Amino acid sequence: MGGRIMTELSQAAVERIIKKAGAERISADAKETLAVLMEEYGTFLAREAKKMSDHAGRKTLRGADIHMAAEIFK
Amino acid sequence: MGGRIMTELSQAAVERIIKKAGAERISADAKETLAVLMEEYGTFLAREAKKMSDHAGRKTLRGADIHMAAEIFK
């Protein structure tokens, strides 16, 4: 079995998202799997957004950088 | 300005993900934007995974359902 994978996202938050999507019963494994995938997606977008802010010569990452990263890789 | 958009994901968790991705200074707007996009992605995968578990005649959403949804829509 092993312990659960550590993610920045809480299992409770991910569970709420899955319940809102219509599932009533959810295995612990499903929550962990979705948390990992959401975090991978967020990390990918954040890295691309960081490149955008560097390119713009800014030190602060802005919402517009995230939007541009999402626009390019959708 | 307006209040912040409500997301299931905490701004703190999203901030940690962005910092790990290399950004030092992050606007509140960037955290909010990434939280919304991550949540949209999670909701999409959860809805598709729910279809997979329904199709398999199960009442419990499993990690394998999430994996299959991610596999199909990657």
Side-chain angles (χ1 to χ4, degrees):
Chain A
M1 295 287 284
R4 84 171 189 78
I5 296 164
M6 288 308 295
T7 53
E8 296 296 347
L9 305 180
S10 75
Q11 300 283 298
V14 174
E15 180 168 7
R16 287 192 299 271
I17 289 167
I18 299 175
K19 290 208 169 194
K20 276 200 211 171
E24 287 142 48
R25 285 163 50 180
I26 306 154
S27 75
D29 180 46
K31 286 178 251 179
E32 191 170 285
T33 300
L34 190 60
V36 168
L37 288 169
M38 288 173 68
E39 198 158 316
E40 283 175 359
Y41 177 66
T43 297
F44 173 75
L45 286 183
R47 284 192 184 132
E48 295 305 314
K50 175 66 165 63
K51 292 180 197 168
M52 307 292 174
S53 67
D54 286 347
H55 183 69
R58 276 187 278 100
K59 290 209 175 293
T60 302
L61 191 82
R62 293 184 188 164
D65 299 314
I66 304 274
H67 276 301
M68 178 160 282
E71 186 66 27
I72 290 171
F73 296 100
K74 76 180 175 188
Chain B
M1 295 288 285
R4 83 170 190 79
I5 297 163
M6 288 307 298
T7 54
E8 296 296 349
L9 305 180
S10 75
Q11 299 284 299
V14 174
E15 180 168 8
R16 287 192 298 271
I17 289 167
I18 299 176
K19 291 209 168 193
K20 275 199 211 173
E24 287 141 48
R25 285 164 50 181
I26 306 155
S27 75
D29 180 47
K31 286 179 251 180
E32 192 170 285
T33 300
L34 191 60
V36 169
L37 288 169
M38 288 173 68
E39 198 158 317
E40 283 175 359
Y41 177 67
T43 297
F44 172 76
L45 286 183
R47 284 192 185 134
E48 294 305 313
K50 175 66 164 64
K51 292 180 196 167
M52 307 292 173
S53 68
D54 287 347
H55 183 70
R58 275 186 277 101
K59 290 211 175 291
T60 303
L61 191 82
R62 294 183 187 165
D65 299 314
I66 304 275
H67 277 301
M68 178 160 282
E71 185 66 28
I72 290 171
F73 295 99
K74 75 181 175 186

